Amino acid sequence: MEQTSAWRNPLRNPKDKRLPRIAGPSGMVIFGVTGDLARKKLLPAIYDLANRGLLPAGFTLVGYGRRDWDKAQFGEYVKEAVQQRARTKFNEHVWQHLAQGIEFVEGAFDDAGFDHLSARLQELDTARGTGGNWAYYLSVPPEFFSNICHQLERVGMAASDEEAWRRVIIEKPFGHDQKSAHELNEIVNAVFPESSVFRIDHYLGKETVQNIMALRFANQIFEPMWNAHYIDHVQITMAEDIGLGGRAGYYDGIGAARDVIQNHLLQLLALVAMEEPSSFEPAALQAEKIKVLRATHPMHPLGKTTARGQYSAGWQGSQYVKGLREEEGFDPESTTETYAACTLEVNSRRWGGVPFYLRTGKRLGRRVTEIALVFKAAPHQPLDGGQTDDLGQNAVVIRVQPDEGVTMRFGSKVPGSTMEVRDVNMDFAYAQAFNEESPEAYERLILDALLDESSLFPTNEEVELSWEILDPIIEYWAKSGQPEKYAAGTWGPESADKMLRRRGHTWRRP
Ligand code: BG6
């Protein structure tokens, strides 16, 4: 099970940053390889890793599914996905090398299919030198997790041993509430020990999200003010301009809160609010996130501290777009929310009394994800009211995407013969500060899973705690009728603005 190549966890061993982290002999089986995620993210990420020289020479990618594809047909499918979506330039030589190890095994999630799969993986272990080290990527709806895990166990392909490792990588949604997540965890953990389970939250693979840890703990200037003494409130925004056309099967009945608040936004909250871990060992980091998630609860009453909406037709830029209920495949009476906002509190000495506002929505004004820590006013203002009329609240804004960086917002004297103070921004932009391009989140996470590096993967406990935070809100909404309508291209329902106004706050217009 030892990694054969020289590698180090870059979170733990910064001095080893010059050593490339190259995966040892291994292969990956993707279940759900014809799905959108595989085509748009996983297959391109695998190619990008190969192109960067980070996969072992005999890396083998096996697609498993019901298509009657042969190696060449699957190869074509992968190639197309790579050419359309890979981050790095297409290189025929790299592709030819990778393609030699691309295989398709036809089968259903039944006995015969898995017998066949197991036999083929064993042949490949010899032919390609994968050494029995397999990562199984479950890019399928959760109802299939049980069957796949049990079948892998039955054919003896799930257990790791002295010589070979077996890991499972699981895509969200991980359940639809705390109870179902717990049941799924039991099913998966009955077959794969927790140390072999890698639950994907692709936000943790983003450079700007990992940078939250660097920003907070590698520097001296931020941490002293990173608490309730100085911070008035925190706004975590994940706004998207895209609609939900083509995603009805997954999204209708799921909604924005389950889709991204339970995972991405609560992980962002955990990283922003947690205490400094004793190290960046996975267990130490996860322990801090668990502690903070345990202390996090919705503020009440939910009718005033939450908001939800559904987009109706409207102008998105210069394009007139449909409302959710007119999107193909959605129930014309759908009550699924496409916008969700909530107010959470973190009951700890550091954060007592500071509201954490989380919001996400589809078909909003523009695509932007950011975390804004908004400061209290200075305890005493020596300047006259009139001189500071244009001074807002100071803020540190972590710009997760698309314009990656960090902004500090504060007041500055307007040049001239009077004393007038106005807000200005001081910016750090990745694009200007670094020459390196950021890898895609999936590149980082797939490589980490192959290297048995689990720092950036939420544990079973984190997933369940996140559901526990969200469950009461979703239950409350289920009893509260229709979500409020908002026109596509706007910044969401009026109730979301009201939710903040009640506390004397306003959403940032990023
Ligand atoms: C996914 C959600 O997890 O994240 C999607 O299911 C969402 O609804 C996507 O569009 C956004 O990811 P990113 O990386 O583009 O911000």
Side-chain angles (χ1 to χ4, degrees):
M1 285 225 275
E2 276 291 296
Q3 297 294 335
T4 49
S5 52
W7 71 279
R8 293 287 186 278
N9 171 2
L11 293 179
R12 279 187 255 161
N13 305 86
K15 289 206 180 107
D16 287 332
K17 65 177 187 228
R18 281 152 295 139
L19 285 181
R21 299 164 70 238
I22 302 171
S26 53
M28 178 179 282
V29 182
I30 302 184
F31 297 95
V33 78
T34 53
D36 247 22
L37 183 82
R39 201 162 40 79
K40 293 185 179 157
K41 299 285 180 185
L42 309 184
L43 300 173
I46 288 169
Y47 167 81
D48 286 324
L49 287 172
N51 205 7
R52 291 164 64 205
L54 302 180
L55 294 181
F59 182 79
T60 303
L61 169 69
V62 178
Y64 182 83
R66 276 191 291 209
R67 306 274 169 106
D68 62 347
W69 278 341
D70 59 18
K71 181 178 167 75
Q73 284 166 310
F74 182 50
E76 271 311 302
Y77 170 80
V78 179
K79 186 174 181 184
E80 206 180 305
V82 165
Q83 285 181 322
Q84 278 173 9
R85 300 269 180 169
R87 179 180 65 84
T88 59
K89 207 163 169 241
F90 188 79
N91 175 322
E92 189 61 35
H93 178 72
V94 172
W95 167 252
Q96 287 304 335
H97 185 81
L98 183 67
Q100 283 167 23
I102 291 183
E103 294 269 330
F104 191 79
V105 175
E106 183 189 345
F109 297 154
D110 61 7
D111 286 9
F114 277 76
D115 288 333
H116 188 190
L117 176 67
S118 153
R120 187 69 193 128
L121 296 190
Q122 286 173 51
E123 284 165 14
L124 289 167
D125 282 338
T126 315
R128 306 267 317 153
T130 39
N133 301 318
W134 290 98
Y136 305 109
Y137 203 119
L138 310 192
S139 180
V140 293
E143 59 263 32
F144 299 114
F145 293 179
S146 168
N147 213 342
I148 296 175
C149 289
H150 286 125
Q151 287 288 354
L152 288 170
E153 185 181 37
R154 184 185 65 77
V155 296
M157 299 299 291
S160 299
D161 57 36
E162 296 293 296
E163 263 98 56
W165 55 255
R166 276 72 190 260
R167 296 176 195 141
V168 64
I169 306 176
I170 306 186
E171 264 301 330
K172 76 185 215 340
F174 203 83
H176 53 89
D177 58 11
Q178 197 266 341
K179 186 167 171 285
S180 57
H182 182 70
E183 286 163 7
L184 284 177
N185 276 326
E186 291 202 319
I187 288 167
V188 172
N189 288 146
V191 176
F192 291 93
E194 184 60 15
S195 57
S196 303
V197 182
F198 292 75
R199 294 175 192 75
I200 295 273
D201 184 316
H202 80 280
Y203 265 58
L204 297 180
K206 292 183 190 273
E207 279 294 332
T208 43
V209 173
Q210 293 159 47
N211 191 40
I212 298 170
M213 292 182 273
L215 189 77
R216 292 190 55 197
F217 304 127
N219 297 304
Q220 177 69 336
I221 54 174
F222 299 108
E223 209 53 18
M225 54 195 193
W226 211 266
N227 56 56
H229 294 301
Y230 298 97
I231 307 281
D232 182 50
H233 67 277
V234 178
Q235 298 188 14
I236 303 183
T237 299
M238 176 183 169
E240 294 184 282
D241 51 5
I242 48 170
L244 285 154
R247 286 189 80 198
Y250 161 71
Y251 204 92
D252 207 9
I254 291 286
R258 287 189 174 101
D259 183 38
V260 302
I261 294 186
Q262 183 272 337
N263 36 71
H264 310 327
L265 297 198
L266 284 174
Q267 283 291 324
L268 294 181
L269 178 145
L271 292 173
V272 165
M274 72 180 185
E275 297 302 318
E276 182 177 299
S278 57
S279 75
F280 285 104
E281 292 289 333
L285 179 58
Q286 287 151 356
E288 290 309 332
K289 285 199 282 166
I290 286 170
K291 224 165 77 190
V292 83
L293 289 171
R294 272 212 193 107
T296 303
H297 307 279
M299 281 189 174
H300 289 272
L302 296 176
K304 297 193 167 154
T305 58
T306 68
R308 73 190 162 127
Q310 186 187 75
Y311 65 82
S312 49
W315 287 94
Q316 188 114 44
S318 56
Q319 209 191 350
Y320 192 72
V321 295
K322 294 178 187 166
L324 180 87
R325 290 178 172 198
E326 293 90 60
E327 298 275 21
E328 195 195 328
F330 278 89
D331 181 344
E333 305 285 299
S334 175
T335 57
T336 300
E337 87 275 359
T338 58
Y339 180 102
C342 58
T343 315
L344 305 179
E345 60 189 338
V346 179
N347 293 331
S348 65
R349 174 170 283 259
R350 185 193 279 266
W351 293 115
V354 177
F356 281 72
Y357 300 119
L358 275 50
R359 64 171 164 167
T360 184
K362 303 281 185 193
R363 285 275 185 240
L364 297 184
R366 73 184 187 93
R367 173 174 180 255
V368 60
T369 300
E370 63 161 44
I371 303 164
L373 290 97
V374 181
F375 284 72
K376 294 179 174 169
H380 163 68
Q381 186 51 273
L383 302 173
D384 288 347
Q387 295 171 320
T388 54
D389 280 354
D390 290 335
L391 175 64
Q393 284 172 280
N394 296 167
V396 172
V397 184
I398 299 168
R399 304 194 314 268
V400 174
Q401 63 186 28
D403 173 24
E404 289 87 356
V406 179
T407 300
M408 286 178 78
R409 187 175 166 81
F410 50 87
S412 180
K413 180 182 177 305
V414 181
S417 54
T418 58
M419 178 57 102
E420 189 194 335
V421 179
R422 195 184 297 160
D423 285 329
V424 293
N425 286 337
M426 194 161 80
D427 267 353
F428 144 59
Y430 275 72
Q432 279 155 26
F434 300 115
N435 291 329
E436 296 84 351
E437 221 185 279
S438 297
E440 273 284 318
Y442 278 96
E443 289 172 60
R444 173 65 197 258
L445 295 177
I446 289 172
L447 181 64
D448 278 7
L450 295 175
L451 288 169
D452 198 20
E453 174 40 59
S454 60
S455 298
L456 298 178
F457 296 84
T459 61
N460 49 7
E461 204 174 341
E462 284 172 68
V463 171
E464 288 186 35
L465 283 168
S466 303
W467 280 119
E468 219 172 294
I469 296 167
L470 206 60
D471 278 356
I473 298 175
I474 293 177
E475 274 163 34
Y476 171 79
W477 285 346
K479 290 185 231 131
S480 329
Q482 305 277 339
E484 190 188 330
K485 291 280 188 297
Y486 62 96
T490 64
W491 279 96
E494 168 61 17
S495 53
D497 292 334
K498 260 198 208 143
M499 171 183 130
L500 260 68
R501 269 206 304 274
R502 280 196 189 97
R503 295 178 174 274
H505 298 145
T506 44
W507 290 112
R508 285 170 44 81
R509 285 283 176 264

